[in-house]
Amino acid sequence: MRLWTLHPRFLDRQGLLAVWREGLLARAVLHGRTRGYRHHPQLERFRAHAEPSLAIDAYLAAVHEEACARGYLFDRGKFGPLRPVAGIVATAGQLEFEWRHLLRKLAVRDPALYERWRERRPTCHPLFLLEPGPVAPWERP
């Protein structure tokens, strides 16, 4: 499971489809609707949020928005109504770690997209608030 800190605009088709599917799985876990992935480290920052259900819905909303902008038909009914929600702090080290990880994937899966993004600086998913700091402790090196 990878719930990217990166803005979904940077993901290739495969990455966008995967984050949608994995975000829906994370939502099911946070709502107690599945027994698998309950202890997945990517969920720590959502569980630590004061309103985990609203946070995951906000996360999915941004992925949905990106998918719609690309002409994909992701089902809006898969997540709840949007309400104002506090952001989740993410570190610059985590963002950079994910950026390098994504670029390695794109170099293989989509070289044209890799060339487009490789000189850019990434931005966060709208749910996250970027602060200085290292890679998250729950991240697998």
Side-chain angles (χ1 to χ4, degrees):
M1 179 184 293
R2 165 84 39 205
L3 299 173
W4 296 94
T5 306
L6 295 166
H7 195 289
R9 81 170 56 93
F10 296 112
L11 301 175
D12 61 340
R13 180 187 56 80
Q14 186 175 342
L16 190 63
L17 294 172
V19 77
W20 175 250
R21 184 179 63 249
E22 292 163 3
L24 292 174
L25 173 59
R27 186 175 194 276
V29 171
L30 292 170
H31 284 267
R33 294 189 185 129
T34 184
R35 291 177 14 177
Y37 291 92
R38 287 182 299 171
H39 304 290
H40 199 285
Q42 288 271 333
L43 296 175
E44 285 183 21
R45 55 189 171 174
F46 287 91
R47 282 202 176 98
H49 193 279
E51 299 175 286
S53 295
L54 295 180
I56 195 65
D57 284 351
Y59 185 88
L60 286 165
V63 174
H64 181 264
E65 183 179 329
E66 178 63 26
C68 289
R70 295 187 195 187
Y72 299 137
L73 299 174
F74 287 14
D75 183 358
R76 172 60 183 89
K78 297 281 186 181
F79 58 97
L82 295 179
R83 296 191 180 103
V85 62
I88 296 175
V89 171
T91 63
Q94 180 64 30
L95 187 69
E96 184 60 31
F97 175 86
E98 290 182 18
W99 185 241
R100 288 190 314 269
H101 181 61
L102 178 63
L103 289 177
R104 283 191 302 273
K105 287 178 173 287
L106 293 177
V108 173
R109 288 194 316 227
D110 192 336
L113 194 56
Y114 168 79
E115 287 299 323
R116 179 177 172 194
W117 295 135
R118 72 185 184 99
E119 298 298 325
R120 296 275 309 264
R121 297 304 325 143
T123 56
C124 281
H125 181 290
L127 177 63
F128 296 109
L129 307 170
L130 196 61
E131 292 186 354
V135 174
W138 46 259
E139 184 66 73
R140 292 186 217 165

